[in-house]
Amino acid sequence: MLYISIIALVFIFDRVTKSYINKNYKIGQTKEIVKDKIYLYHLENEGAAYGLLADKPRILKLLSFSSIIMLSIYAFNIFKENSCKAEKSFTAMIIGGAIGNLYDRFRNKSVTDFMYVKYKKAPVFNIADVFIFIGSIGTFILSLRKGK
């Protein structure tokens, strides 16, 4: 039940923040949060990271949907095995974020991105991306520790 709650909370947090941005910022509108460092920047991304496959929406949806299926199979195995709580939590974060972005992609044909950290060629991202990143890094670190 804890892991379903994590998935739901990540999804809800993602939806609430995207809804706020969509209601309060026009596409392309920017607001500086931390001087010369962190910005809110409303962007509708029709592709994957950095707009990849924006011109191939069917392929992108197929890849997104396939990723969710593969992630669900992985999660099913993780949740039924005697995996540690951290691994299950990180997996739940990834699933919650993936569902958030997939929901956008299927409902709006784009994903709302709005956070930008001014650093080299950093992408504009959203809450779902943050949890996917945290969950992925956590899973990677745990896999390194298991290898010992």
Side-chain angles (χ1 to χ4, degrees):
M1 187 65 172
L2 170 66
Y3 309 108
I4 292 171
S5 297
I6 292 171
I7 292 168
L9 287 172
V10 169
F11 177 77
I12 291 167
F13 187 33
D14 181 60
R15 293 297 326 134
V16 167
T17 56
K18 288 175 179 173
S19 179
Y20 174 81
I21 293 298
N22 285 320
K23 287 179 184 171
N24 295 290
Y25 291 86
K26 295 177 185 172
I27 295 172
Q29 185 175 351
T30 303
K31 180 179 180 183
E32 187 175 61
I33 303 299
V34 176
K35 188 167 176 56
D36 294 325
K37 299 280 186 228
I38 301 173
Y39 299 84
L40 286 180
Y41 176 73
H42 184 186
L43 173 72
E44 291 299 320
N45 186 354
E46 293 180 5
Y50 293 101
L52 293 171
L53 299 175
D55 59 337
K56 307 251 189 286
R58 285 186 179 169
I59 292 173
L60 185 58
K61 281 184 179 180
L62 179 65
L63 288 173
S64 298
F65 191 69
S66 299
S67 296
I68 290 287
I69 290 171
M70 291 179 354
L71 184 59
S72 297
I73 292 167
Y74 171 76
F76 178 76
N77 288 326
I78 291 296
F79 293 146
K80 87 174 187 184
E81 289 177 4
N82 196 15
S83 299
C84 70
K85 288 181 181 180
E87 187 172 16
K88 291 176 183 178
S89 297
F90 289 135
T91 301
M93 287 178 198
I94 295 168
I95 292 170
I99 292 171
N101 281 341
L102 189 65
Y103 178 87
D104 264 13
R105 187 162 318 288
F106 278 90
R107 185 166 189 254
N108 306 324
K109 298 183 178 157
S110 64
V111 175
T112 300
D113 289 327
F114 57 90
M115 293 183 280
Y116 175 68
V117 177
K118 191 174 182 180
Y119 181 77
K120 297 188 181 184
K121 292 186 179 184
V124 180
F125 56 97
N126 58 47
I127 295 299
D129 298 333
V130 170
F131 280 99
I132 291 168
F133 179 78
I134 292 169
S136 298
I137 294 297
T139 301
F140 176 72
I141 290 169
L142 289 175
S143 72
L144 291 177
R145 290 179 62 199
K146 279 185 180 178
K148 288 184 177 180

